[in-house]
Amino acid sequence: MNPTKDDFLRFLIGQGSFDWAVTINLMKRHPRYQTYITPEIFEKTGRHYLALVNKRIFKRQYQYGHIRLNSIFCMEYGEHKRPHLHFAIGSPPQIDKDSVLAELYRSYKLMDWVKGDVHITPYHSSVWINYILKTGFESIAIH
């Protein structure tokens, strides 16, 4: 049974606060290795993006598992849809939000599977939820 919008909202509220909504479009085929995207590569790409951002912001504190951004992402794809990732990412109070925003853009440029530009807007739970639930989602991964 698919969760309702209210179920998902309660789940998100339980995850903590978020500041940024990030959407990343992915290619169906890797540009150099002639490999097609799989659900495993899809999820690893989302986790890789979050790891890049965390490593660049927190450096050794992240490396040793002491701190990371509050984040969640879901993967959306289908037979006739381009694969894309939706992230909700929180900025910690001790770091300027503009610094986190800049790192979200910089880390995107280091990704292999991305297509086009990254789309980043301020996070509004109802807007984000409405967008990702417009046609449902295949899976959700908490990082």
Side-chain angles (χ1 to χ4, degrees):
M1 181 173 150
N2 287 334
T4 66
K5 191 186 308 186
D6 289 336
D7 293 336
F8 198 62
L9 183 57
R10 281 192 295 279
F11 171 75
L12 282 176
I13 289 170
Q15 299 306 306
S17 64
F18 301 108
D19 298 299
W20 305 108
V22 179
T23 300
I24 295 176
N25 293 313
L26 302 176
M27 292 181 258
K28 291 184 178 183
R29 186 174 63 125
H30 194 276
R32 286 188 303 245
Y33 303 114
Q34 307 303 317
T35 302
Y36 288 88
I37 198 161
T38 64
E40 294 81 19
I41 292 171
F42 207 162
E43 183 175 348
K44 285 180 181 181
T45 301
R47 292 187 185 281
H48 179 64
Y49 177 68
L50 292 173
L52 280 172
V53 174
N54 279 306
K55 284 177 193 174
R56 294 171 61 94
I57 290 174
F58 299 116
K59 299 175 180 39
R60 292 175 63 108
Q61 290 178 318
Y62 173 75
Q63 182 180 349
Y64 292 114
H66 299 296
I67 193 169
R68 65 179 177 203
L69 295 172
N70 185 35
S71 58
I72 186 171
F73 72 93
C74 65
M75 306 178 295
E76 190 175 341
Y77 58 95
E79 188 175 324
H80 302 289
K81 293 171 93 171
R82 71 191 180 297
H84 54 285
L85 297 163
H86 299 286
F87 297 84
I89 299 174
S91 300
Q94 71 272 24
I95 297 179
D96 178 53
K97 287 183 183 181
D98 289 336
S99 298
V100 174
L101 179 62
E103 199 51 61
L104 293 173
Y105 281 109
R106 269 184 264 178
S107 295
Y108 174 81
K109 292 178 182 177
L110 301 174
M111 304 287 291
D112 274 354
W113 283 93
V114 298
K115 180 177 184 172
D117 293 326
V118 63
H119 185 254
I120 303 175
T121 60
Y123 174 83
H124 300 287
S125 60
S126 60
V127 175
W128 194 75
I129 291 168
N130 285 337
Y131 185 71
I132 66 169
L133 293 181
K134 66 188 180 297
T135 57
F137 55 89
E138 294 291 329
S139 62
I140 190 160
I142 302 168
H143 190 283

